[in-house]
């Protein structure tokens, strides 16, 4: 009996020693089976799992229609017009005008994807992670870029302004200055790019978006003309009304109100452009191959020659100049400067410390070209043009005077003209 009791006691002790692990293992198996069953049940349904939310709003338990209805309501709150502010003006772009469309189905599909689409264990892991990680569902949108660009272009047309050049007027001996105006230009591509992320995420600003167009400086700024205080040099020639006079007026206006900054070279041809019928020039006499013929732009050489003399008297530097084939009736020998489209040009350079400004006046009978600039650039000198030699073979000098005394003399050129009689038929 003692042996049996001993054996019986050993069996009980063995059972007691192993029953806890057995029970624990059994519970784990049961729990795993239960969790797997729940996971499988969730995966086979369409309700959103626990933990998934949209901007802090839980979506757990919602089926597709319920989630869609909820997200549509949330999207409607975000579908506000874009408002822009510029000065005292405001502009708006509505969602409808650019085809802004929330991607509701995409967001619902994303919400439902948690805990689904994988193996049993993958789905279980995804569901457990959703509880702890609380994934956020993104609500995105699409829009029509072409329509947005059109609306931005419409706004730009109301914001953009062209710069206006500063102007120098000569009223008798008085110099009057009109300040330039800085233009504004909206960078349309930059604005469209800045709206891309807010529109695609429906993260639209509640307040007005300030527009900050770029500043466009005028070609002639207020600073450019700030030091102009005198007429450095001027010259006048005379002509008669008619086609030739109309050509003179047109070319003279083309070079008026032009600035030549320090170090710049002025080109008559580049500034005036082609003397063609299409550009408004009329037929008048010109010298071609030693013959006087009618052609578009006849008379324009009088403008370049008058400018040449004003340039010389201003102390500026001629860099390209050609005399006529025959002496000119409107200007002294050696003082002319002929021009021809794309062939012969008149150019000068500004070597002064300040800009110079060209002003012309043509009234149908006389043409005056004035060079306005800064008095200090002439260093107290006055300039005169002196000519030697004969009318057919003149030599021209520029002489600088100070206090009535010649302080500097420059040789300019020696010309040779031909007699029109030698080329007569």
């Amino acid at each position: 009996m003692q042996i049996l009791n001993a054996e019986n006691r050993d069996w009980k002790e063995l059972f007691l020693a192993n029953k806890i692990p057995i029970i624990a293992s059994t519970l784990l198996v049961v729990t795993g089976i239960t969790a797997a069953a729940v996971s499988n049940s969730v995966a086979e349904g369409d309700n959103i799992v626990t933990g998934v939310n949209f901007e802090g709003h839980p979506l757990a338990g919602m089926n597709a229609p319920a989630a869609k209805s909820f997200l549509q309501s949330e999207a409607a709150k975000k579908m506000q017009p874009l408002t822009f502010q510029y000065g005292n003006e405001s502009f708006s772009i509505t969602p409808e005008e650019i085809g802004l469309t929330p991607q509701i189905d995409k967001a619902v599909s994303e919400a439902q994807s948690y805990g689904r689409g994988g193996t049993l264990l993958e789905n279980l892991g995804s569901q457990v992670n959703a509880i702890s990680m609380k994934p956020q569902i993104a609500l995105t949108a699409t829009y029509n870029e072409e329509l947005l660009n059109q609306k931005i272009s419409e706004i730009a047309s109301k914001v953009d302004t062209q710069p206006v050049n500063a102007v120098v007027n000569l009223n008798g001996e008085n110099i009057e200055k009109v300040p330039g105006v800085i233009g504004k230009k909206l960078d349309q591509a930059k604005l469209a790019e800045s709206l891309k992320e807010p529109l695609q995420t429906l993260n639209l600003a509640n307040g007005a978006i300030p527009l900050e167009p770029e500043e466009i400086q005028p070609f002639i700024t207020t600073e450019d003309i700030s030091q102009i205080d005198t007429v450095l040099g001027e010259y006048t020639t005379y002509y008669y009304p008619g086609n030739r006079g109309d050509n003179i007026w047109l070319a003279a206006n083309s070079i008026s109100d032009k600035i030549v900054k320090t170090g710049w070279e002025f080109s008559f041809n580049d500034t005036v452009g082609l003397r063609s019928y299409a550009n408004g020039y009329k037929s008048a006499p010109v010298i071609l191959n030693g013959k006087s013929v009618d052609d578009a732009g006849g008379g324009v050489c009088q403008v370049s020659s008058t400018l040449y003399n004003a340039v010389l008297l201003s102390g500026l530097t001629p860099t390209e100049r050609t005399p006529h084939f025959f002496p000119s009736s409107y200007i002294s020998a050696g003082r002319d400067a002929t021009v021809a489209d794309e062939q012969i040009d008149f150019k000068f350079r500004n070597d002064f410390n300040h800009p110079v400004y060209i002003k012309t006046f043509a009234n149908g009978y006389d043409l005056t070209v004035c060079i306005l600039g800064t008095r200090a650039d002439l260093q107290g000198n006055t300039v005169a043009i002196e000519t030697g030699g004969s009318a057919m073979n003149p030599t021209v000098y520029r002489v600088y005077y100070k206090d009535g005394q010649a302080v500097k003399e420059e040789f300019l050129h020696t010309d040779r003209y031909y007699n029109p009689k030698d080329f007569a038929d």
Side-chain angles (χ1 to χ4, degrees), residues 251 254-256 258-261 263-275 303-304 307 311 317-321 338-350 358:
S254 296
I255 66 171
S256 192
K258 297 298 187 289
I259 197 163
V260 185
K261 299 183 183 182
W264 284 15
E265 185 178 59
F266 176 93
S267 164
F268 185 89
N269 283 348
D270 289 348
T271 306
V272 174
L274 293 176
R275 277 74 80 183
V303 181
S304 58
L307 173 63
V311 164
T317 307
T319 57
E320 185 176 330
R321 173 262 174 189
T338 187
V339 290
D341 286 341
E342 300 178 331
Q343 299 179 56
I344 304 172
D345 201 359
F346 166 61
K347 299 179 181 180
F348 70 89
R349 187 178 64 245
N350 177 13
I358 303 173

Side-chain angles (χ1 to χ4, degrees), residues 23-338:
I23 293 172
S25 298
T26 303
L27 288 174
L28 283 174
V29 171
V30 172
T31 300
I33 293 171
T34 302
V38 171
S39 174
N40 191 55
S41 175
V42 169
E44 290 178 352
D46 66 352
N47 289 355
I48 299 171
V49 302
T50 300
V52 179
N53 66 88
F54 171 76
E55 296 185 353
H57 299 281
L59 302 180
M62 293 185 184
N63 59 17
K68 184 174 183 177
S69 177
F70 171 77
L71 290 175
Q72 285 175 334
S73 175
E74 292 298 307
K77 299 175 185 178
K78 297 174 176 289
M79 295 280 284
Q80 301 298 320
L82 288 168
T83 304
F84 305 91
Q85 191 73 34
Y86 178 65
N88 296 324
E89 294 186 270
S90 61
F91 313 94
S92 65
I93 300 176
T94 66
E96 295 77 15
E97 288 175 323
I98 58 174
L100 185 63
T101 306
Q103 296 182 292
I104 303 295
D105 291 340
K106 179 181 178 182
V108 172
S109 177
E110 181 186 353
Q112 289 185 305
S113 67
Y114 288 94
R116 297 179 175 85
T119 64
L120 190 65
L121 289 178
E122 288 173 342
N123 290 340
L124 178 60
S126 177
Q127 294 164 26
V128 172
N129 286 336
I131 295 173
S132 60
M133 302 300 293
K134 300 186 182 304
Q136 293 279 347
I137 298 303
L139 181 57
T140 59
T142 60
Y143 63 94
N144 188 309
E145 292 187 13
E146 184 176 346
L147 292 177
L148 176 64
N149 291 335
Q150 289 177 3
K151 299 303 295 185
I152 291 177
S153 179
E154 291 175 10
I155 294 173
S157 69
K158 300 173 183 177
V159 171
D160 292 354
T161 57
Q162 292 297 319
V164 179
N165 284 333
V167 176
V168 183
N169 292 320
L170 191 60
N171 186 8
E173 295 183 355
N174 296 322
I175 291 177
E176 301 170 350
K177 303 173 188 177
V178 181
V181 177
I182 297 173
K184 302 288 184 179
K185 186 172 181 60
L186 188 64
D187 189 332
Q188 298 182 43
K190 183 178 179 181
L191 179 58
E193 182 63 27
S194 72
L195 296 174
K196 186 174 183 179
E197 190 274 337
L199 287 171
Q200 290 179 338
T201 61
L202 285 179
N203 186 24
L204 305 179
N206 293 324
I209 301 170
L211 296 178
E212 299 177 350
E214 302 175 32
E215 290 190 346
I216 309 298
Q217 291 291 337
F219 184 75
I220 303 176
T221 66
T222 303
E223 178 63 25
D224 289 334
I225 66 172
S226 63
Q227 299 300 312
I228 292 177
D229 58 7
T230 191
V231 177
L232 296 176
E234 63 179 288
Y235 199 76
T236 300
T237 58
Y238 302 90
Y239 62 97
Y240 294 101
N243 284 3
R244 187 176 183 280
D246 291 345
N247 292 337
I248 288 173
W249 181 89
L250 189 58
N253 278 276
S254 296
I255 66 171
S256 192
D257 295 306
K258 297 298 187 289
I259 197 163
V260 185
K261 299 183 183 182
T262 302
W264 284 15
E265 185 178 59
F266 176 93
S267 164
F268 185 89
N269 283 348
D270 289 348
T271 306
V272 174
L274 293 176
R275 277 74 80 183
S276 65
Y277 296 115
N279 288 335
Y281 287 92
K282 299 178 180 179
S283 182
V286 298
I287 302 300
L288 183 63
N289 298 323
K291 304 291 184 180
S292 177
V293 298
D294 284 352
D295 198 4
V300 169
C301 289
Q302 183 164 342
V303 181
S304 58
S305 296
T306 308
L307 173 63
Y308 174 52
N309 281 265
V311 164
L312 291 179
L313 293 170
S314 301
L316 295 165
T317 307
T319 57
E320 185 176 330
R321 173 262 174 189
T322 304
H324 284 83
F325 197 74
F326 301 140
S328 300
S329 60
Y330 55 82
I331 204 162
S332 301
R335 304 281 289 269
D336 58 335
T338 187

